[in-house]
């Protein structure tokens, strides 16, 4: 019995850890001291915000800088940091720092969440994740704080807080902002948008890729298939997304139209970066062309790199499916990626994750269509944004009925944990086959 249950433990503990963090965050955000004005936040407002923060999404149903007090902002910031680092990774790290050792259960859960190569390197990986997170966040915070103070007249204390909050939100791909218009007022300021975009990209690559680049940066031939897939896929999607968004929105008077050519290119690329699962926006998304929404749906659905702060299916999953398709069209006997053969078990894992994700997105969108009067394009955008833990919105999230907002809470939770737990569960459940059934080929197409 114990052997049968053991493989399920990592996924179970990750889900329970995130659920506990969301409940704790909800309780804290309902405190009257966390809300500006009389009384505390409602359970739904607190639950939605806590889920969005822990799942590093960024979708909101209340105006973050106006509705919450500095205490509320601090709670949100803590939940973002905790969710981005990983609930079980954080718990395991405490065990490393306090007890100097990890038990088998902690190693299992931390390895599943960080996608470590083995149990022996979990402690080193956790400490490396902590150091890297704090380094990137510190550099981004200093850059933003200096800009806010020197160019926008904020006091040193205000600038420091704005820098810290937005650096943590950026690196963890959360998209929470302390400005009611997100970053629209800074759309043409590269000294604000570029540090935010760089932090988002770094966080979205995933910690395994960052660690490998640190070790093997000068020897690209030694890079793993995972690193090659993440880097090449990210570059293609960032550039392709930026070109498409800029071209479609170039003359749109509600978005890029009033900007000069350099500003249009800058803003278009920035929004392409944000579809990597960070919810900042420097243009009004309610004014985007529906074709742009659809393109962003695709980018948000794909997401960023695995074992990082990004959400979505993960660019590696998309890359694997692309090479499976490419190999099948060419009639190749095996799927080869960057000079290495892809395991057949990964074929099934990728297809399973994609089909389940499509089921969640389509089913949720259909349900919202039944209970609201909003169009398919807007509802699909909100659902994909929630599932991909992106946080971008066409502006209708706060207008959804309570049952619709609760659905998005569930979708955010599934989007953040689904790919992690499902991939871990599929990998752990693999077992040798002692017999095979006779082969038969149904008609396809």
């Amino acid at each position: 019995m114990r052997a049968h249950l053991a493989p399920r433990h990592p996924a179970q503990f990750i889900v329970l850890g995130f659920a506990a963090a969301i409940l704790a965050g909800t309780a804290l955000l309902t405190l009257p001291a966390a809300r500006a004005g009389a009384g505390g936040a409602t359970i739904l407002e607190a639950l939605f915000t806590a889920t969005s923060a822990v799942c590093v999404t960024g979708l909101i149903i209340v105006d973050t800088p106006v509705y919450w007090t500095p205490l509320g902002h601090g709670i949100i910031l803590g939940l973002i940091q905790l969710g981005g680092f990983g609930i079980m990774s954080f718990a395991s790290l405490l065990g490393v720092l306090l007890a100097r050792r990890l038990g088998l259960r902690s190693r299992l859960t931390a390895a599943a969440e960080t996608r470590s190569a083995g149990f022996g390197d979990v402690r080193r990986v956790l400490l490396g994740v902590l150091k890297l997170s704090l380094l990137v966040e510190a550099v981004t915070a200093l850059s933003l704080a200096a800009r806010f103070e020197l160019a926008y007249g904020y006091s040193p204390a205000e600038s420091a807080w704005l820098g810290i909050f937005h650096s943590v939100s950026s690196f963890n791909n959360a998209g929470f902002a302390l400005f009611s218009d997100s970053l629209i007022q800074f759309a043409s300021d590269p000294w604000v948008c570029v540090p935010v975009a760089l932090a988002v990209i770094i966080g979205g690559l995933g910690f395994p890729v960052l660690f490998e680049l640190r070790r093997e940066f000068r020897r690209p031939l030694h890079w793993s298939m995972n690193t090659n897939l993440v880097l090449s896929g990210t570059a293609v999607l960032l550039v392709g997304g930026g070109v498409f968004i800029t071209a479609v929105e170039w003359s749109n008077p509600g978005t890029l139209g009033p900007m000069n050519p350099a500003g249009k290119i800058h803003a278009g690329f920035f929004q392409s970066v944000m579809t990597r699962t960070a919810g900042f926006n420097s243009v009004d998304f309610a004014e985007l062309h529906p074709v742009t929404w659809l393109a962003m749906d695709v980018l948000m659905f794909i997401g960023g790199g695995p074992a990082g702060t990004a959400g979505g299916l993960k660019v590696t999953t998309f890359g694997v499916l692309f090479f499976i398709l490419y190999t099948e069209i060419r009639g190749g006997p095996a799927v080869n990626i960057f000079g290495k053969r892809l395991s057949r078990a990964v074929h099934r894992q990728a297809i399973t994750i994609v089909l389940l994700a499509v089921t969640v997105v389509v089913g949720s969108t259909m349900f919202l269509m039944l209970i609201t009067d909003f169009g398919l394009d807007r509802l699909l955008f909100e659902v994909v944004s929630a599932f991909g833990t992106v946080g971008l919105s066409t502006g209708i999230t706060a207008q959804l009925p309570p049952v619709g907002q609760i659905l998005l809470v569930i979708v955010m939770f599934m989007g953040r944990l689904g790919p992690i737990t499902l991939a871990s569960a599929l990998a752990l459940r693999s077992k040798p086959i002692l017999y095979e059934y006779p082969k038969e080929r149904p008609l396809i197409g």
Side-chain angles (χ1 to χ4, degrees), residues 138-277:
V139 172
T140 307
L142 289 173
S143 176
L144 293 176
R147 185 59 176 174
F148 287 138
E149 181 178 355
L150 298 176
Y152 296 96
Y154 288 100
S155 68
E158 290 174 328
S159 299
W161 173 240
L162 290 173
I164 292 172
F165 188 96
H166 291 93
S167 68
V168 172
S169 186
S170 301
F171 178 72
N172 290 286
N173 281 218
F176 277 89
L178 293 182
F179 305 101
S180 296
D181 64 351
S182 190
L183 299 182
I184 291 179
Q185 61 182 298
F186 308 109
S188 59
D189 188 347
W191 296 100
V192 172
C193 291
V194 170
V196 168
L198 288 177
V200 168
I201 293 173
I202 294 173
L205 290 177
F207 294 111
V209 172
L210 296 175
F211 291 155
E212 185 167 346
L213 289 177
R214 184 177 63 181
R215 297 191 309 268
E216 307 286 352
F217 182 77
R218 297 180 181 275
R219 298 187 295 177
L221 293 178
H222 291 202
W223 291 353
S224 65
M225 182 189 296
N226 180 75
T227 295
N228 279 304
L229 279 173
V230 171
L231 292 180
S232 58
T234 298
V236 169
L237 294 172
L238 286 178
V239 174
V243 170
F244 185 89
I245 294 170
T246 304
V248 174
E249 299 295 325
W250 188 271
S251 301
N252 187 340
T255 56
L256 304 185
M259 302 180 184
N260 59 40
K264 293 178 181 181
I265 296 173
H266 172 261
F269 179 75
F270 181 81
Q271 291 309 153
S272 177
V273 173
M274 294 308 110
T275 61
R276 311 305 307 176
T277 80

Side-chain angles (χ1 to χ4, degrees), residues 104-124:
L104 178 60
R105 178 174 294 176
S106 296
R107 289 178 182 271
L108 281 169
T109 53
E113 195 169 51
T114 60
R115 309 300 294 277
S116 301
F119 297 149
D121 67 345
V122 169
R123 180 179 182 274
R124 177 177 56 82

